[in-house]
Amino acid sequence: RMHQAFEGCSKFNQQLDLSNLNLNDGALEGTFGNCKSLTYTPILPSNYTGRLNETFQDTKITTAPILPDGVTSLNNTFRDCSELTTVGNIPSACNNYNGTFWGCTKLTSVPEEGWNGNMESTFRDCNLLNQRIVINSASNLSFTFRECSSLSITPTLPEVVEGSMDSCFHSCSN
């Protein structure tokens, strides 16, 4: 278990390969949170299942790691990662993206499809994001694209949203 192992280590900046570790649900939550100097993208175990909540919150990584398909929750995982520009994949099992990229002000590239579940504040304050995004199903779209001032391509939304859409596109100037 590595729950919050390096959290708050403001000078930590090493490349870590965690691919050979056998970790279970929640074992990586908050592991690198608030490591404000971390620029290296850690390698995660491909067989990891469960939550990655707050795992990279407020770090300086520029590219998200390959996210294992068994990840079910990315709650605030990359929140306030001000240098993050690229996310290559999203886990097929994930259904919680609450605040995942909130405050990633340099984010320009995310997977186009595969988004499902709780999308509250997912891309909030991602003011450089301007690409096609397809949300297949959603339980909550509140604040999802709030302050995405560069967004000129309207995302594809599900016909039915189970929960709220409050302020979904608030302050999207385009």
Side-chain angles (χ1 to χ4, degrees):
R1 181 174 159 109
M2 295 184 67
H3 185 256
Q4 299 177 327
F6 298 98
E7 184 176 19
C9 293
S10 60
K11 294 185 181 186
F12 179 78
N13 191 26
Q14 288 184 316
Q15 175 63 55
L16 288 180
D17 183 348
L18 308 176
S19 61
N20 291 324
L21 298 179
N22 187 15
L23 300 169
N24 60 13
D25 185 28
L28 290 173
E29 283 191 284
T31 300
F32 302 103
N34 296 307
C35 289
K36 297 179 185 294
S37 297
L38 183 64
T39 58
Y40 293 105
T41 302
I43 301 168
L44 302 178
S46 61
N47 63 345
Y48 183 81
T49 60
R51 303 174 310 273
L52 278 179
N53 299 339
E54 302 172 0
T55 302
F56 301 101
Q57 185 174 345
D58 203 12
T59 63
K60 299 292 184 225
I61 61 173
T62 58
T63 303
I66 297 171
L67 299 168
D69 273 340
V71 170
T72 58
S73 178
L74 292 171
N75 184 47
N76 292 317
T77 301
F78 299 100
R79 184 172 176 174
D80 295 324
C81 288
S82 60
E83 302 299 318
L84 185 68
T85 61
T86 307
V87 177
N89 76 305
I90 55 172
S92 59
C94 193
N95 63 3
N96 182 9
Y97 297 97
N98 183 17
T100 301
F101 304 108
W102 183 351
C104 294
T105 55
K106 293 184 181 178
L107 185 65
T108 58
S109 178
V110 298
E112 182 177 311
E113 298 189 16
W115 302 99
N116 298 293
N118 181 3
M119 301 292 296
E120 182 177 352
S121 298
T122 302
F123 301 107
R124 186 175 183 167
D125 297 330
C126 294
N127 50 1
L128 293 182
L129 188 64
N130 186 25
Q131 70 166 74
R132 184 171 183 265
I133 295 173
V134 177
I135 300 174
N136 299 317
S137 66
S139 59
N140 188 344
L141 287 173
S142 295
F143 310 104
T144 302
F145 298 99
R146 184 182 176 122
E147 302 288 338
C148 290
S149 55
S150 295
L151 191 64
S152 63
I153 302 167
T154 304
T156 302
L157 302 179
E159 287 185 29
V160 175
V161 176
E162 297 167 19
S164 174
M165 286 187 67
D166 291 349
S167 299
C168 184
F169 294 101
H170 184 273
S171 295
C172 289
S173 56
N174 287 324

